[in-house]
Amino acid sequence: MRASGILMPISALPSPHGIGTMGQQARQFVDFLHKAGQSYWQILPICPTSYGDSPYQSFSTYAGNPYLIDLDELSAQGLLKPEEYKHIDWQSTPDCINYGVLYEKRYAVLHLACERLLAAPPADYLDFVKKNRFWLPDYALFMALKDAHGGACWQQWEESLRRREPDAIKIARKRYAKEIAFWQAVQYLFYRQWQALKNYANAKNIRVIGDLPIYIALDSVDVWSEPKQFQLDENLNPTEVAGCPPDGFSATGQLWGNPLYDWDAMAKDGYAWWVRRIRHMCSIYDVVRIDHFRGFAGYYAIPYGSETAIGGRWRTGPGYALFAAIKKKLGDPRIIAEDLGFLTQDVNDLLRRCGYPGMKVLEFGFDSRDGGEYRPHGYPVNSIAYVGTHDNEPVNGWMETASPEDVARAVQYLNLTRQEGYHWGMMRGVWASASELAIVQAQDILGLGHEARMNTPSTVGNNWCWRAKRGVFNDRLAAKLYQAAELYERLPR
């Protein structure tokens, strides 16, 4: 069934408190999607961010980002007083997030809310803790220990804690019981708001596409608590790390630095770690987009300590065996495969065998080097069409930064005009394609440019900061999108 949707991170929603949250503005965005004839809201990972503020480098694959908790809702529930947060200077601008100030000031406010919560826990609080006992206690302990060590990576902790010696863990759980309770309460608040928002979206016939990063940050509870799932040496350091070889994004490749999975060890228990992770993601999203799908066929391994990705090598991934295990345990969850990057026949074969829709990015279609398969006349029905992703320029930025030859090719192919707006012409290209689902960035429907780019791969700083100004998602824009969805037969049915 043909449909369309918008890619809009929760963090990028308007808000008076420094960052977009899961409160009233999120529900108003859902209302906008409904009026605009959209069927999907695609978001970025909602896990806690660490150094660099990237949602793809998180302390936990299961936890929710505390910054996204709406403070006004906590106030309405009696967990905060208005004077405890409304006058805080978040030192942000209406279109940009200041993560440093959030880190410095947000947790003090959440401590006040959690103290009141834990003084009289709701009836479902203990049920939440029990339901999530497969990850929550370790996460809460990990965060309490990070605070106790001044935020240092777990590899810098004392040896007994690095190696999770039972006596040391037992002592830590007792010593930091109050801090552990705080971190568990934060997750309760997050997931209560998240579930309410998702229920609201689903009631409006809007389905949520969540994002699952393929790799885990080295400084995470996931690696600390289950080191045998990863390629670590006897000192718990990675032997090789993740990244991408040199490509159109970077001449020196992308050095992500994540530890790589020990696929042989994972295979021995039927990939239970991955089954557990996918099950959780499917429980909180309607559709799951798996980032860097090609890494399951073959992955790029870079020697630990390298300064660039140039010296890496390709290694064989788990292939279909992983997805057979997922299918056996979970049936057929709705999954989108992010099959971008350097693709080889084994990647194409794996995608075909899994049956998941892959991604087509229109901006790639006009690259004179290898863009042919990304032009919309050739998109298969079982695919998701994008103008660009969070790693790409918004159209108006792309028109200024792409090579003149590539821009000229796009103008000719799509009959782009300034009168219509280059961004509308490019969106028209994906809406008109045969792809069953077309997703456009919020920045493109707003006609923004380079200043609103979400992420520039292989760079740190100035990424993940953009957010929309209040009032831009209005009825006039919704009506224009509705007309387009009707014209290209993408209205909800």
Side-chain angles (χ1 to χ4, degrees), residues 54-123:
S54 170
Y56 295 90
Q57 295 284 347
S58 176
F59 295 132
S60 169
T61 189
Y62 293 104
N65 189 342
Y67 296 159
L68 304 183
I69 296 173
D70 188 75
L71 303 183
D72 289 331
E73 292 203 358
L74 297 185
S75 178
Q77 295 158 10
L79 296 175
L80 285 178
K81 299 176 182 178
E83 60 268 23
E84 293 172 334
Y85 71 97
K86 281 189 175 292
H87 303 298
I88 293 176
D89 181 6
W90 301 103
Q91 296 179 36
S92 61
T93 58
D95 60 351
C96 189
I97 300 165
N98 188 325
Y99 284 99
V101 173
L102 285 172
Y103 178 77
E104 293 171 0
K105 299 183 178 182
R106 200 70 158 210
Y107 289 106
V109 177
L110 291 176
H111 268 285
L112 295 173
C114 289
E115 285 176 7
R116 294 184 178 111
L117 174 80
L118 293 171

Coordinates of all heavy atoms in Angstrom, one line a residue, residues 54-123:
S54 N 25.6 12.2 19.7 CA 25.0 11.4 18.6 C 24.1 10.4 19.2 O 24.5 9.6 20.1 CB 26.1 10.7 17.8 OG 25.6 9.8 16.9
P55 N 22.9 10.2 18.7 CA 22.0 9.1 19.1 C 22.5 7.8 18.7 O 21.9 6.8 19.0 CB 20.7 9.5 18.5 CG 21.0 10.3 17.3 CD 22.3 11.1 17.7
Y56 N 23.6 7.7 17.8 CA 24.1 6.5 17.4 C 25.3 6.1 18.3 O 26.0 5.0 18.0 CB 24.5 6.6 15.9 CG 23.3 6.8 15.0 CD1 22.9 8.0 14.7 CD2 22.6 5.7 14.5 CE1 21.8 8.2 13.9 CE2 21.5 5.8 13.7 CZ 21.1 7.1 13.4 OH 19.9 7.3 12.7
Q57 N 25.6 6.8 19.3 CA 26.7 6.5 20.3 C 26.0 6.7 21.6 O 26.0 7.8 22.2 CB 27.9 7.4 20.1 CG 28.6 7.2 18.8 CD 29.5 5.9 18.8 OE1 29.7 5.3 19.8 NE2 30.0 5.6 17.6
S58 N 25.5 5.6 22.2 CA 24.7 5.7 23.4 C 25.3 4.8 24.5 O 26.0 3.8 24.3 CB 23.3 5.2 23.1 OG 22.5 5.2 24.3
F59 N 24.9 5.2 25.8 CA 25.3 4.5 27.0 C 24.5 3.2 27.1 O 24.9 2.3 27.8 CB 25.1 5.3 28.2 CG 26.0 6.5 28.3 CD1 25.4 7.7 28.7 CD2 27.3 6.4 28.1 CE1 26.2 8.8 28.8 CE2 28.1 7.5 28.2 CZ 27.6 8.7 28.6
S60 N 23.4 3.1 26.3 CA 22.6 1.9 26.4 C 21.7 1.7 25.2 O 21.2 2.7 24.6 CB 21.6 2.0 27.6 OG 20.6 1.0 27.6
T61 N 21.6 0.5 24.7 CA 20.7 0.2 23.6 C 19.2 0.1 24.0 O 18.3 0.2 23.1 CB 21.1 -1.1 22.9 OG1 20.4 -1.2 21.6 CG2 20.8 -2.3 23.7
Y62 N 18.9 0.0 25.3 CA 17.6 -0.1 25.7 C 17.0 1.2 26.4 O 15.8 1.4 26.3 CB 17.5 -1.3 26.7 CG 17.7 -2.6 26.1 CD1 18.9 -3.3 26.3 CD2 16.8 -3.2 25.4 CE1 19.2 -4.5 25.8 CE2 17.0 -4.5 24.8 CZ 18.2 -5.1 25.0 OH 18.4 -6.4 24.5
A63 N 17.9 1.9 27.0 CA 17.4 3.1 27.8 C 16.9 4.2 26.9 O 17.3 4.3 25.8 CB 18.5 3.6 28.7
G64 N 16.0 5.0 27.5 CA 15.5 6.2 26.8 C 16.3 7.4 27.2 O 16.9 7.5 28.3
N65 N 16.3 8.4 26.3 CA 17.1 9.6 26.5 C 16.4 10.6 27.5 O 15.3 11.1 27.3 CB 17.3 10.4 25.2 CG 18.2 11.6 25.3 OD1 18.5 12.0 26.4 ND2 18.7 12.0 24.2
P66 N 17.0 10.8 28.7 CA 16.3 11.6 29.7 C 16.0 13.0 29.2 O 15.0 13.7 29.7 CB 17.3 11.7 30.9 CG 18.1 10.4 30.7 CD 18.2 10.2 29.2
Y67 N 16.8 13.6 28.3 CA 16.5 14.9 27.8 C 15.2 15.0 27.1 O 14.6 16.1 27.0 CB 17.6 15.3 26.8 CG 19.0 15.4 27.3 CD1 20.1 15.4 26.4 CD2 19.3 15.6 28.6 CE1 21.4 15.5 26.8 CE2 20.6 15.7 29.1 CZ 21.6 15.6 28.2 OH 22.9 15.7 28.6
L68 N 14.6 13.9 26.6 CA 13.4 14.0 25.9 C 12.1 13.9 26.8 O 11.0 14.1 26.3 CB 13.3 12.8 24.9 CG 14.5 12.7 23.9 CD1 14.2 11.5 22.9 CD2 14.7 14.0 23.1
I69 N 12.4 13.8 28.1 CA 11.2 13.8 29.0 C 10.7 15.2 29.1 O 11.4 16.2 29.3 CB 11.7 13.3 30.4 CG1 12.1 11.8 30.3 CG2 10.6 13.5 31.4 CD1 12.8 11.3 31.6
D70 N 9.4 15.3 29.0 CA 8.8 16.6 29.0 C 8.5 17.1 30.4 O 7.9 16.5 31.2 CB 7.4 16.6 28.2 CG 6.8 18.0 28.0 OD1 7.3 18.7 27.2 OD2 5.9 18.3 28.8
L71 N 9.1 18.3 30.7 CA 9.0 18.8 32.1 C 7.6 19.4 32.4 O 7.2 19.3 33.5 CB 10.1 19.9 32.2 CG 11.5 19.5 32.0 CD1 12.5 20.7 32.2 CD2 11.9 18.3 32.8
D72 N 6.9 19.9 31.4 CA 5.6 20.4 31.7 C 4.6 19.3 32.1 O 3.8 19.4 33.0 CB 5.0 21.1 30.4 CG 5.7 22.5 30.2 OD1 6.2 23.1 31.2 OD2 5.8 22.9 29.0
E73 N 4.8 18.1 31.5 CA 4.0 17.0 31.9 C 4.3 16.5 33.3 O 3.4 16.1 34.0 CB 4.2 15.8 30.8 CG 3.6 16.1 29.5 CD 3.2 14.9 28.7 OE1 3.5 13.8 29.2 OE2 2.7 15.1 27.6
L74 N 5.6 16.5 33.6 CA 5.9 16.2 35.0 C 5.3 17.2 36.0 O 4.9 16.8 37.1 CB 7.5 16.2 35.2 CG 8.3 15.2 34.3 CD1 9.7 15.2 34.7 CD2 7.7 13.8 34.5
S75 N 5.2 18.4 35.6 CA 4.6 19.4 36.5 C 3.1 19.2 36.6 O 2.5 19.2 37.7 CB 4.8 20.8 35.9 OG 4.2 21.8 36.6
A76 N 2.5 18.8 35.5 CA 1.0 18.5 35.5 C 0.7 17.3 36.4 O -0.4 17.2 36.9 CB 0.5 18.3 34.1
Q77 N 1.7 16.4 36.5 CA 1.5 15.2 37.3 C 1.9 15.4 38.8 O 1.8 14.5 39.6 CB 2.3 14.1 36.8 CG 1.9 13.6 35.4 CD 3.0 12.9 34.6 OE1 4.0 12.5 35.2 NE2 2.7 12.6 33.3
G78 N 2.3 16.7 39.1 CA 2.7 17.0 40.5 C 4.1 16.6 40.9 O 4.5 16.6 42.0
L79 N 4.9 16.2 39.9 CA 6.3 15.8 40.2 C 7.3 17.0 40.1 O 8.4 16.8 40.6 CB 6.7 14.7 39.2 CG 5.9 13.4 39.3 CD1 6.3 12.4 38.2 CD2 6.1 12.8 40.7
L80 N 6.8 18.1 39.6 CA 7.7 19.3 39.5 C 6.8 20.5 39.8 O 5.6 20.5 39.6 CB 8.3 19.5 38.1 CG 9.5 18.6 37.7 CD1 9.9 18.9 36.3 CD2 10.7 18.8 38.7
K81 N 7.4 21.5 40.4 CA 6.8 22.8 40.5 C 7.3 23.7 39.4 O 8.5 23.7 39.1 CB 7.1 23.4 41.9 CG 6.7 22.5 43.1 CD 7.1 23.1 44.4 CE 6.7 22.2 45.6 NZ 7.2 22.7 46.9
P82 N 6.4 24.6 38.9 CA 6.8 25.4 37.8 C 8.1 26.2 38.0 O 8.9 26.4 37.2 CB 5.6 26.3 37.6 CG 4.4 25.5 38.0 CD 5.0 24.7 39.2
E83 N 8.2 26.7 39.3 CA 9.4 27.6 39.6 C 10.7 26.8 39.6 O 11.8 27.3 39.6 CB 9.2 28.3 40.9 CG 9.0 27.3 42.1 CD 7.6 27.0 42.4 OE1 6.7 27.1 41.5 OE2 7.3 26.6 43.6
E84 N 10.6 25.4 39.6 CA 11.8 24.6 39.6 C 12.4 24.4 38.2 O 13.5 23.9 38.1 CB 11.5 23.2 40.2 CG 11.1 23.3 41.7 CD 10.6 22.0 42.2 OE1 10.1 21.2 41.5 OE2 10.7 21.8 43.5
Y85 N 11.7 24.8 37.2 CA 12.3 24.6 35.8 C 12.0 25.7 34.8 O 12.7 25.9 33.8 CB 11.9 23.3 35.3 CG 10.4 23.2 34.9 CD1 10.0 23.4 33.6 CD2 9.5 22.9 35.8 CE1 8.7 23.3 33.2 CE2 8.1 22.8 35.5 CZ 7.8 23.0 34.2 OH 6.4 22.9 33.8
K86 N 10.9 26.4 35.0 CA 10.4 27.3 33.9 C 11.3 28.5 33.7 O 11.3 29.1 32.6 CB 9.0 27.8 34.2 CG 7.9 26.8 33.9 CD 6.5 27.4 34.0 CE 5.5 26.4 33.5 NZ 5.5 26.2 32.0
H87 N 12.1 28.9 34.7 CA 12.9 30.1 34.6 C 14.4 29.7 34.3 O 15.3 30.6 34.3 CB 12.8 30.9 35.8 CG 11.4 31.4 36.1 ND1 10.7 32.2 35.2 CD2 10.6 31.1 37.1 CE1 9.5 32.4 35.7 NE2 9.4 31.7 36.9
I88 N 14.7 28.4 34.1 CA 16.1 28.0 33.8 C 16.5 28.5 32.4 O 15.7 28.4 31.4 CB 16.2 26.5 33.8 CG1 16.0 26.0 35.3 CG2 17.6 26.0 33.3 CD1 16.0 24.5 35.4
D89 N 17.7 29.1 32.3 CA 18.2 29.5 31.0 C 18.9 28.3 30.4 O 20.0 28.0 30.8 CB 19.2 30.7 31.2 CG 19.7 31.2 29.9 OD1 19.3 30.7 28.8 OD2 20.6 32.1 29.9
W90 N 18.3 27.8 29.3 CA 18.9 26.6 28.7 C 19.9 27.0 27.6 O 20.5 26.2 27.0 CB 17.8 25.8 28.0 CG 16.8 25.3 29.0 CD1 15.5 25.7 29.2 CD2 17.0 24.2 30.0 NE1 14.9 25.0 30.2 CE2 15.8 24.1 30.7 CE3 18.0 23.3 30.2 CZ2 15.6 23.1 31.7 CZ3 17.9 22.4 31.3 CH2 16.7 22.3 32.0
Q91 N 20.1 28.3 27.5 CA 21.2 28.9 26.6 C 21.1 28.3 25.2 O 22.1 28.0 24.5 CB 22.6 28.7 27.2 CG 22.7 29.4 28.5 CD 24.1 29.2 29.1 OE1 25.1 29.1 28.4 NE2 24.2 29.2 30.4
S92 N 19.9 28.0 24.7 CA 19.7 27.5 23.4 C 19.0 28.6 22.5 O 18.6 29.6 23.1 CB 18.8 26.3 23.4 OG 17.5 26.6 23.9
T93 N 18.9 28.4 21.3 CA 18.2 29.3 20.4 C 17.0 28.5 19.8 O 17.0 27.3 19.9 CB 19.1 29.8 19.2 OG1 19.5 28.6 18.5 CG2 20.3 30.6 19.7
P94 N 16.0 29.2 19.3 CA 14.8 28.5 18.8 C 15.1 27.4 17.8 O 14.3 26.5 17.6 CB 13.9 29.6 18.2 CG 14.3 30.8 18.9 CD 15.8 30.6 19.2
D95 N 16.3 27.5 17.1 CA 16.6 26.5 16.0 C 17.8 25.7 16.3 O 18.4 25.0 15.5 CB 16.7 27.2 14.7 CG 17.8 28.2 14.7 OD1 18.4 28.5 15.7 OD2 18.1 28.7 13.6
C96 N 18.3 25.7 17.6 CA 19.6 25.0 17.9 C 19.6 24.5 19.4 O 19.2 25.3 20.3 CB 20.8 25.9 17.6 SG 22.4 25.0 17.7
I97 N 20.0 23.3 19.6 CA 20.1 22.7 20.9 C 21.5 23.0 21.5 O 22.5 22.8 20.8 CB 19.9 21.2 20.8 CG1 18.5 20.9 20.3 CG2 20.0 20.5 22.2 CD1 18.3 19.5 19.8
N98 N 21.5 23.3 22.8 CA 22.8 23.5 23.5 C 22.9 22.3 24.5 O 22.4 22.3 25.6 CB 22.8 24.8 24.3 CG 24.2 25.0 24.9 OD1 24.9 24.1 25.4 ND2 24.6 26.3 25.0
Y99 N 23.6 21.2 24.0 CA 23.7 20.0 24.8 C 24.5 20.1 26.1 O 24.2 19.5 27.1 CB 24.3 18.9 23.9 CG 23.4 18.3 22.9 CD1 23.4 18.7 21.6 CD2 22.4 17.3 23.3 CE1 22.5 18.1 20.7 CE2 21.6 16.8 22.3 CZ 21.6 17.2 21.0 OH 20.8 16.7 20.1
G100 N 25.5 21.0 26.0 CA 26.3 21.2 27.2 C 25.5 21.7 28.4 O 25.7 21.2 29.5
V101 N 24.6 22.6 28.1 CA 23.8 23.2 29.2 C 22.7 22.1 29.7 O 22.4 22.0 30.8 CB 23.1 24.5 28.8 CG1 22.1 25.0 29.8 CG2 24.2 25.6 28.5
L102 N 22.2 21.4 28.7 CA 21.3 20.3 29.1 C 22.0 19.4 30.1 O 21.4 18.9 31.1 CB 20.8 19.5 27.9 CG 19.8 20.2 27.0 CD1 19.6 19.4 25.7 CD2 18.5 20.4 27.7
Y103 N 23.2 19.0 29.8 CA 24.0 18.1 30.7 C 24.1 18.7 32.0 O 24.0 18.0 33.1 CB 25.3 17.7 30.0 CG 26.2 16.8 30.8 CD1 25.9 15.5 30.9 CD2 27.2 17.3 31.6 CE1 26.7 14.6 31.7 CE2 28.0 16.5 32.4 CZ 27.8 15.2 32.4 OH 28.6 14.3 33.2
E104 N 24.4 20.0 32.1 CA 24.7 20.6 33.4 C 23.4 20.8 34.2 O 23.5 20.8 35.4 CB 25.3 22.0 33.1 CG 26.7 21.9 32.5 CD 27.3 23.2 32.1 OE1 26.6 24.2 32.3 OE2 28.4 23.3 31.6
K105 N 22.3 21.1 33.6 CA 21.1 21.6 34.3 C 19.9 20.6 34.3 O 19.0 20.7 35.2 CB 20.6 22.9 33.7 CG 21.7 24.0 33.8 CD 21.2 25.3 33.3 CE 22.2 26.4 33.5 NZ 21.8 27.8 33.1
R106 N 19.8 19.7 33.3 CA 18.6 18.9 33.2 C 18.5 17.9 34.4 O 17.4 17.7 34.9 CB 18.6 18.1 31.9 CG 17.2 17.7 31.4 CD 16.3 18.8 31.0 NE 15.3 18.4 30.1 CZ 14.8 19.3 29.2 NH1 15.2 20.5 29.1 NH2 13.8 18.9 28.4
Y107 N 19.6 17.3 34.7 CA 19.5 16.2 35.7 C 19.1 16.7 37.1 O 18.4 16.0 37.9 CB 20.8 15.4 35.8 CG 21.0 14.6 34.5 CD1 22.0 15.0 33.6 CD2 20.3 13.5 34.3 CE1 22.2 14.2 32.4 CE2 20.4 12.7 33.1 CZ 21.4 13.1 32.2 OH 21.6 12.4 31.1
A108 N 19.5 17.9 37.5 CA 19.0 18.5 38.7 C 17.5 18.5 38.8 O 16.9 18.3 39.9 CB 19.7 19.8 39.0
V109 N 16.9 18.9 37.7 CA 15.4 19.0 37.7 C 14.8 17.6 37.7 O 13.9 17.4 38.5 CB 15.0 19.7 36.4 CG1 13.5 19.7 36.3 CG2 15.5 21.1 36.3
L110 N 15.4 16.7 37.0 CA 14.9 15.3 37.0 C 15.0 14.7 38.4 O 14.2 13.8 38.8 CB 15.6 14.4 36.0 CG 15.2 14.8 34.5 CD1 16.1 14.0 33.6 CD2 13.7 14.6 34.3
H111 N 16.1 15.0 39.1 CA 16.3 14.5 40.5 C 15.1 14.9 41.4 O 14.6 14.1 42.2 CB 17.6 15.0 41.1 CG 18.7 14.1 40.9 ND1 18.9 12.9 41.6 CD2 19.8 14.2 40.0 CE1 20.0 12.3 41.2 NE2 20.6 13.0 40.3
L112 N 14.6 16.2 41.3 CA 13.5 16.6 42.0 C 12.3 15.8 41.7 O 11.5 15.4 42.6 CB 13.2 18.1 41.8 CG 14.3 19.1 42.2 CD1 14.0 20.5 41.7 CD2 14.5 19.1 43.7
A113 N 12.0 15.6 40.4 CA 10.8 14.8 40.0 C 10.9 13.4 40.5 O 9.9 12.8 41.0 CB 10.7 14.8 38.5
C114 N 12.1 12.8 40.4 CA 12.2 11.4 40.8 C 12.1 11.2 42.4 O 11.7 10.2 42.8 CB 13.6 10.8 40.3 SG 13.6 10.6 38.5
E115 N 12.6 12.2 43.1 CA 12.5 12.1 44.6 C 11.0 12.0 44.9 O 10.6 11.2 45.8 CB 13.1 13.3 45.2 CG 14.6 13.3 45.2 CD 15.2 14.5 45.8 OE1 14.5 15.4 46.3 OE2 16.5 14.7 45.7
R116 N 10.2 12.8 44.3 CA 8.7 12.8 44.6 C 8.1 11.5 44.1 O 7.2 10.9 44.7 CB 8.1 14.0 43.9 CG 8.5 15.3 44.5 CD 7.8 16.5 43.9 NE 8.2 17.8 44.6 CZ 8.9 18.7 44.0 NH1 9.2 18.6 42.7 NH2 9.3 19.8 44.7
L117 N 8.5 11.0 42.9 CA 8.0 9.8 42.4 C 8.3 8.6 43.3 O 7.4 7.8 43.7 CB 8.6 9.5 41.0 CG 8.3 8.1 40.4 CD1 6.9 8.2 39.8 CD2 9.3 7.7 39.4
L118 N 9.6 8.5 43.8 CA 10.0 7.4 44.6 C 9.4 7.5 46.1 O 9.3 6.5 46.8 CB 11.5 7.3 44.7 CG 12.1 7.0 43.3 CD1 13.6 7.1 43.4 CD2 11.8 5.5 42.9
A119 N 9.0 8.7 46.5 CA 8.4 8.9 47.8 C 7.0 8.2 47.8 O 6.6 7.8 48.9 CB 8.3 10.4 48.1
A120 N 6.4 8.2 46.7 CA 5.0 7.5 46.6 C 4.9 6.9 45.2 O 4.3 7.4 44.3 CB 3.9 8.5 46.8
P121 N 5.6 5.8 45.0 CA 5.7 5.2 43.6 C 4.3 4.8 43.1 O 3.4 4.3 43.8 CB 6.5 3.9 43.8 CG 7.3 4.1 45.1 CD 6.4 5.0 45.9
P122 N 4.0 5.1 41.8 CA 2.7 4.7 41.2 C 2.5 3.2 41.2 O 3.5 2.4 41.4 CB 2.9 5.2 39.8 CG 3.9 6.3 39.8 CD 4.9 5.8 40.9
A123 N 1.3 2.8 41.0 CA 1.0 1.3 41.1 C 1.8 0.5 40.1 O 2.1 -0.7 40.4 CB -0.5 1.2 41.0

